[in-house]
Amino acid sequence: MTLDVDEIERLYAYPATERPWVRTNFVSTLDGAATGTDGRSGTLGGDTDTRVFALLRSLSDVIVVGAGTARDEAYADYEVDTDLRGRLGLSPIPAMALISRRLDIPQHLLVADNLVVTTADADPARLATLRESVEVIAVGDGEIDWPDVLTIFADRGWTRVLCEGGPSLHGELVAHDLVDELCLTIAPILAAGGAPRISHGAHTVDQQMRLAHAIEADGGLLTRWVRDRDR
Ligand SMILES: NC(=O)c1ccc[n+]([C@@H]2O[C@H](COP(=O)([O-])OP(=O)(O)OC[C@H]3O[C@@H](n4cnc5c(N)ncnc54)[C@H](OP(=O)(O)O)[C@@H]3O)[C@@H](O)[C@H]2O)c1
């Protein structure tokens, strides 16, 4: 099935919420691998997944990404559909929040439109240096205080949160029951090997999700799963 932009926009519209709605977006092989033979995820998705990936960015207020993914997937500048954003009353580009404990962020990502989210007890010298070039939100001792982060997002009117991973960050959000929606592309590939899953962490939880859609595209499936709870 070929999806046009209007159809993708309709399928992936954020619900109207006053609190931040946390959407995560991943691709996985049939046997659960989150990376392909090159150790990255981009090679797993087909053309439609690539278009959905881009459109999800265009629909968001803030893109949240772990520093590991930003490093491994060589994150750089990105383009969004400014006409679509204008029509939806969104800012010209979404902010990008880079999540890090060690504050090892690629230099080219330390630009004014981005922000870094870390713990309050992060290295003070690194914090001071980073703050010369980029906004830093430092909340929580030992681990990031996610409810505080989401409150800060809400105060800025950022209710459309898009988390692009990776699996460690995703696992922490899942463990805290903060994932409202998972957009998962299932690629028609068997990978074996030792690749990570799309979510992992120290604790196993049991959170039921409801299927919102499953659409065949490029031989795989585009799926969207929602966690039902009071908005
Ligand atoms: N299949 C997919 O859709 C998909 C999506 C994204 C990524 N990936 C793949 O996943 C792999 C990377 O996995 P990963 O688990 O290492 O990714 P990750 O979660 O992006 O990276 C882990 C790093 O991000 C920072 N981080 C993540 N969660 C944090 C938290 N709660 N608090 C503080 N810092 C946090 C830390 O950075 P510091 O080291 O700077 O402290 C940590 O070392 C790559 O191979 C990538 O290609 C796949």
Side-chain angles (χ1 to χ4, degrees):
M1 180 175 177
T2 306
L3 294 174
D4 64 24
V5 173
D6 291 344
E7 187 69 0
I8 298 174
E9 183 187 335
R10 187 188 66 74
L11 285 165
Y12 290 95
Y14 275 85
T17 55
E18 291 187 2
R19 67 165 178 83
W21 177 268
V22 179
R23 162 181 284 168
T24 62
N25 184 32
F26 283 89
V27 59
S28 167
T29 65
L30 295 172
D31 51 352
T35 54
T37 50
D38 60 353
R40 294 184 179 189
S41 59
T43 42
L44 296 178
D47 289 351
T48 312
D49 176 67
T50 302
R51 289 195 292 127
V52 169
F53 182 91
L55 191 107
L56 294 190
R57 286 184 164 184
S58 293
L59 292 175
S60 70
D61 292 315
V62 56
I63 300 165
V64 177
V65 63
T69 294
R71 294 187 293 256
D72 295 347
E73 302 268 351
Y75 268 47
D77 290 344
Y78 53 94
E79 290 182 4
V80 288
D81 183 336
T82 47
D83 290 342
L84 167 66
R85 294 184 66 79
R87 188 158 41 79
L88 295 176
L90 303 177
S91 63
I93 57 162
M96 181 172 282
L98 296 142
I99 314 303
S100 176
R101 196 168 281 110
R102 296 182 299 125
L103 300 178
D104 175 17
I105 311 288
Q107 191 64 34
H108 68 276
L109 294 175
L110 301 177
V111 295
D113 287 328
N114 294 350
L115 60 151
V116 172
V117 178
T118 189
T119 56
D121 53 3
D123 180 72
R126 283 290 300 149
L127 270 179
T129 305
L130 277 185
R131 283 189 159 128
E132 289 170 8
S133 51
V134 72
E135 181 188 0
V136 181
I137 295 173
V139 285
D141 286 323
E143 71 172 38
I144 290 169
D145 187 323
W146 287 104
D148 269 10
V149 173
L150 294 180
T151 299
I152 291 167
F153 286 179
D155 289 346
R156 296 172 184 204
W158 294 353
T159 54
R160 299 156 175 244
V161 179
L162 171 66
C163 175
E164 296 182 345
S168 308
L169 173 58
H170 196 208
E172 186 160 309
L173 296 177
V174 170
H176 285 85
D177 197 7
L178 292 172
V179 175
D180 296 299
E181 175 186 333
L182 165 65
C183 297
L184 175 65
T185 295
I186 301 169
I189 297 169
L190 289 170
R197 294 157 46 220
I198 63 164
S199 163
H200 65 79
H203 308 290
T204 301
V205 294
D206 177 4
Q207 288 163 13
Q208 302 292 312
M209 306 292 282
R210 172 177 57 80
L211 180 64
H213 73 231
I215 298 166
E216 188 277 331
D218 305 325
L221 281 179
L222 300 174
T223 68
R224 181 170 165 256
W225 302 85
V226 174
R227 181 132 171 85
D228 285 325
R229 56 174 138 225
D230 290 337
R231 289 178 189 170

